[in-house]
């Protein structure tokens, strides 16, 4: 019977993928069988992703969630039981860190919202320590033997979060699930996963925590927003975390649909590093490498500074990497992008200080924390960046107590709106701290 753990917990599974014995067992343990499509006001929608299906003679399956396995119109699905009694434990949270006064206030607000099953937004500047703030909330849910999902739209953020959660809840079952993970789904009391994985669940979680709610691919993605709504139990609570919350959420705060905690200060009490702005009179590859950038690279090498360099696109990054190899062979670096299969390993190399620099697209703009680093954005005026992404990128710097004043440098040819607004907002946030 143990292998049922691979299915239980509000999973939506195609009957075609189940052998009949397992199916029978799942149905006897609170599972239900449904048709793969349903009719919603005259539109045929897929039961799993809740998106409309366009049926043609050639295509009778849902194209929206095809990545999670094909669901045909004529299929049947099993929704597995969620009535699970997790073991009672003596102590759940094992963390000896201390919360700042601001974090404590946020925690009180979060616990209060939890008590009232009230959805809540934590708007905290980058490096405010929002992850630590959710520890007491998770503990509270665990004490009530509830089930928790901690989600981010980004795989990298999940991978970073997972060991931190595991470390402070060492006796609780925790799983890490995303499209690139080798770990097969199994029932755990805490699941750390990408928002995308939520499509596979129905009414499964009591506490749903969505980190980086404004980030790609969640921003503006209807299917993922439906998944967030559908995967949580009706009696549960959803917490949204963001340093740059989207307008739609702030509107809900205004209309009192969700409550809000605001944290303007980083956990170490120092202000956010304000970017140094550098106008380039020529492109970054002028004379092979723009002399102003060369100057910065030479300082970096001389002082042995660890550096993250952000690029607007993969081609720009690749061409710059070639120049670096040619002109600065002594600089050890890796470069990563969304298309990079070795991304997680490369990030680890930088984390372990095996390379001095990491070249990256916006894929690492958020969720990752490194100590003592300089942050550089090349072509900060490019359309691939936005005010939000520049704020997030600048927020990678100064995160450690002993290097709160890490430098951030924006290089551009045109001082445009996104650069101006990002710098203005960082400076505004710093002024809010008394
Ligand atoms: Zn679908």
């Amino acid at each position: 019977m143990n292998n049922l753990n691979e299915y239980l917990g509000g999973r939506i599974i195609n009957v075609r993928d189940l052998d009949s014995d397992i199916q029978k067992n799942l149905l006897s343990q609170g599972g239900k069988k449904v048709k793969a499509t349903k009719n919603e006001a005259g539109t045929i929608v897929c039961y799993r992703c809740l998106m409309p299906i366009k049926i043609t003679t050639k295509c009778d399956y849902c194209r929206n969630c095809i990545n999670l396995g094909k669901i045909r119109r004529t299929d049947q699905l099993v929704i597995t039981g969620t009535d699970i009694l997790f073991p009672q434990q003596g102590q759940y949270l094992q963390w000896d860190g201390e919360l700042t006064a601001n974090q404590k206030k946020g925690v009180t607000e979060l616990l209060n919202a939890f008590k009232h099953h009230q959805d809540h937004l934590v708007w905290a500047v980058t490096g405010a320590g929002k992850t630590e703030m959710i520890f007491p909330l998770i503990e509270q849910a665990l004490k009530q033997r509830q089930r928790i999902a901690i989600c981010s739209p980004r795989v990298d953020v999940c991978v970073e979060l997972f060991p931190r959660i595991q470390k402070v809840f060492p006796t609780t079952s925790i799983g890490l699930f995303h499209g690139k993970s080798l770990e097969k789904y199994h029932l755990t009391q805490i699941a750390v996963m990408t928002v995308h994985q939520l499509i596979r669940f129905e009414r499964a979680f009591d506490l749903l925590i969505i980190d980086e709610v404004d980030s790609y691919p969640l921003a503006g993605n209807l299917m993922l927003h439906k998944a967030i709504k559908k995967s949580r139990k009706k009696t549960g609570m959803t917490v949204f975390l963001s340093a740059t919350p989207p307008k739609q959420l702030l509107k809900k705060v205004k209309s009192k649909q969700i409550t809000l905690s605001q944290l303007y200060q980083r956990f170490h009490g120092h202000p956010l590093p304000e970017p140094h702005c550098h106008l380039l009179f020529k492109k970054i590859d002028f004379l092979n490498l723009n002399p102003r950038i060369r100057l910065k690279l030479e300082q970096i090498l001389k002082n042995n500074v660890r550096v993250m360099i952000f690029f607007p696109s993969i081609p720009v990054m690749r061409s710059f990497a070639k120049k670096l190899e040619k002109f600065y062979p002594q600089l050890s670096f890796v470069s990563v992008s969304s298309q990079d299969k070795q991304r997680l390993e490369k990030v680890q190399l930088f984390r372990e200080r095996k390379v001095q620099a990491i070249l990256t697209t916006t894929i690492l703009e958020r969720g990752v924390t490194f100590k003592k680093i300089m942050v550089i954005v090349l072509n900060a005026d490019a359309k691939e960046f936005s005010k939000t992404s520049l704020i997030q990128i600048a927020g990678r710097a100064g995160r450690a107590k002993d290097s709160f004043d890490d430098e951030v440098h924006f290089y551009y040819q045109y001082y445009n709106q996104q650069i101006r607004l990002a710098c203005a907002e960082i400076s505004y946030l710093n002024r809010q701290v008394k």
Side-chain angles (χ1 to χ4, degrees):
M1 285 293 262
N2 263 346
N3 61 353
L4 286 191
N5 273 346
E6 290 173 24
Y7 306 96
L8 284 173
R11 292 281 277 187
I12 302 173
I13 307 166
N14 200 320
V15 165
R16 283 193 284 125
D17 299 332
L18 292 172
D19 77 41
S20 58
D21 269 358
I22 291 180
Q23 195 191 136
K24 218 189 273 166
N25 280 330
L26 290 174
L27 292 175
S28 72
Q29 294 205 20
K32 62 173 181 180
K33 210 170 182 176
V34 296
K35 285 182 180 165
T37 54
K38 51 184 173 181
N39 194 321
E40 268 182 10
T43 310
I44 297 170
V45 299
C46 164
Y47 192 98
R48 181 167 63 184
C49 70
L50 304 179
M51 298 296 283
I53 307 183
K54 279 194 192 115
I55 305 285
T56 64
T57 43
K58 278 187 187 155
C59 167
D60 71 337
Y61 59 89
C62 176
R63 276 185 263 199
N64 304 295
C65 63
I66 180 83
N67 286 343
L68 305 176
K70 194 178 265 187
I71 287 187
R72 292 186 190 282
R73 187 183 183 182
T74 49
D75 281 342
Q76 286 189 305
L77 308 171
V78 168
I79 319 296
T80 63
T82 54
D83 210 5
I84 297 139
L85 209 53
F86 291 100
Q88 195 98 53
Q89 296 172 37
Q91 190 188 358
Y92 292 93
L93 178 60
Q94 296 185 29
W95 181 61
D96 54 11
E98 215 178 300
L99 295 170
T100 64
N102 280 326
Q103 283 173 315
K104 278 183 191 156
K105 184 171 169 275
V107 167
T108 309
E109 288 162 355
L110 270 169
L111 292 176
N112 192 38
F114 177 76
K115 209 167 122 190
H116 296 99
H117 310 279
Q118 168 68 54
D119 292 348
H120 194 83
L121 165 67
V122 177
W123 179 1
V125 295
T126 55
K130 51 188 165 64
T131 309
E132 290 80 2
M133 281 173 54
I134 60 169
F135 293 166
L137 176 69
I138 295 172
E139 184 187 34
Q140 200 56 37
L142 289 173
K143 276 184 184 164
Q144 299 187 15
R145 301 170 90 172
Q146 294 187 349
R147 188 158 178 235
I148 299 132
I150 307 166
C151 304
S152 162
R154 298 200 167 209
V155 174
D156 305 67
V157 177
C158 295
V159 170
E160 175 114 348
L161 265 173
F162 176 65
R164 294 177 70 184
I165 300 294
Q166 226 177 8
K167 196 174 164 196
V168 298
F169 295 105
T171 54
T172 305
S173 58
I174 307 175
L176 172 66
F177 311 111
H178 56 80
K180 292 191 178 100
S181 114
L182 296 173
E183 187 171 353
K184 217 176 149 200
Y185 172 79
H186 53 102
L187 181 69
T188 53
Q189 193 167 8
I190 301 179
V192 179
M193 58 190 178
T194 49
V195 174
H196 217 87
Q197 294 296 319
L198 290 177
I199 298 170
R200 298 180 190 274
F201 292 90
E202 182 180 89
R203 307 275 167 241
F205 303 100
D206 302 279
L207 173 60
L208 187 53
I209 299 170
I210 311 288
D211 197 6
E212 308 289 356
V213 61
D214 57 301
S215 89
Y216 178 83
L218 177 56
N221 185 320
L222 185 62
M223 179 168 68
L224 295 180
H225 281 281
K226 281 176 185 264
I228 292 175
K229 239 179 173 172
K230 171 194 69 155
S231 58
R232 202 203 68 192
K233 287 185 188 168
K234 281 190 175 146
T235 51
M237 170 205 192
T238 308
V239 177
F240 301 98
L241 308 173
S242 177
T244 42
K247 277 184 196 151
Q248 303 92 302
L249 263 188
L250 293 174
K251 263 189 196 165
K252 284 189 179 171
V253 170
K254 224 175 167 185
S255 62
K256 300 205 162 64
Q257 289 176 62
I258 55 178
T259 45
L260 171 74
S261 296
Q262 260 175 308
L263 272 94
Y264 291 117
Q265 199 168 32
R266 290 191 144 182
F267 80 94
H268 50 47
H270 297 284
L272 299 159
E274 297 197 18
H276 299 267
C277 291
H278 306 272
L279 178 68
L280 294 175
F281 295 101
K282 301 280 182 187
K283 289 185 176 172
I284 55 172
D285 57 0
F286 174 64
L287 299 175
N288 275 313
L289 264 176
N290 191 305
R292 297 198 74 170
I293 298 173
R294 273 182 186 262
L295 200 66
K296 183 54 74 191
L297 288 169
E298 274 147 30
Q299 281 172 6
I300 286 169
L301 277 165
K302 190 174 152 221
N303 301 322
N304 201 20
V305 177
R306 279 158 37 83
V307 60
M308 289 184 91
I309 309 179
F310 285 85
F311 296 84
S313 69
I314 298 173
V316 177
M317 179 172 80
R318 280 197 186 134
S319 132
F320 192 87
K322 278 191 190 140
K323 303 262 163 61
L324 270 187
E325 276 164 4
K326 188 172 170 195
F327 296 107
Y328 297 100
Q330 67 276 45
L331 181 74
S332 58
F333 70 89
V334 285
S335 47
V336 299
S337 71
S338 58
Q339 291 173 14
D340 195 334
K341 290 202 174 85
Q342 259 104 46
R343 185 168 85 238
L344 304 177
E345 291 84 353
K346 287 180 177 174
V347 169
Q348 194 57 24
L349 284 179
F350 182 66
R351 186 179 307 289
E352 289 168 3
R353 297 167 181 264
K354 290 185 176 142
V355 291
Q356 187 178 349
I358 188 163
L359 276 51
T360 175
T361 57
T362 52
I363 189 76
L364 293 186
E365 74 178 27
R366 57 178 84 218
V368 290
T369 296
F370 305 105
K371 285 181 179 175
K372 286 198 184 180
I373 50 156
M374 178 187 282
V375 172
I376 291 178
V377 184
L378 295 181
N379 293 351
D381 50 347
K383 65 175 187 328
E384 290 86 349
F385 293 118
S386 61
K387 176 196 89 172
T388 305
S389 61
L390 291 174
I391 293 172
Q392 290 285 354
I393 289 170
R396 295 311 101 207
R399 297 175 79 96
K401 204 171 189 169
D402 52 355
S403 69
F404 63 85
D405 54 354
D406 286 342
E407 290 175 19
V408 179
H409 298 274
F410 289 170
Y411 288 88
Y412 49 83
Q413 274 191 280
Y414 303 98
Y415 184 76
N416 59 7
Q417 182 90 329
Q418 67 202 34
I419 301 174
R420 190 176 65 77
L421 291 177
C423 294
E425 187 161 322
I426 294 170
S427 142
Y428 167 82
L429 292 166
N430 280 339
R431 287 199 308 274
Q432 303 310 304
V433 181
K434 282 164 220 137

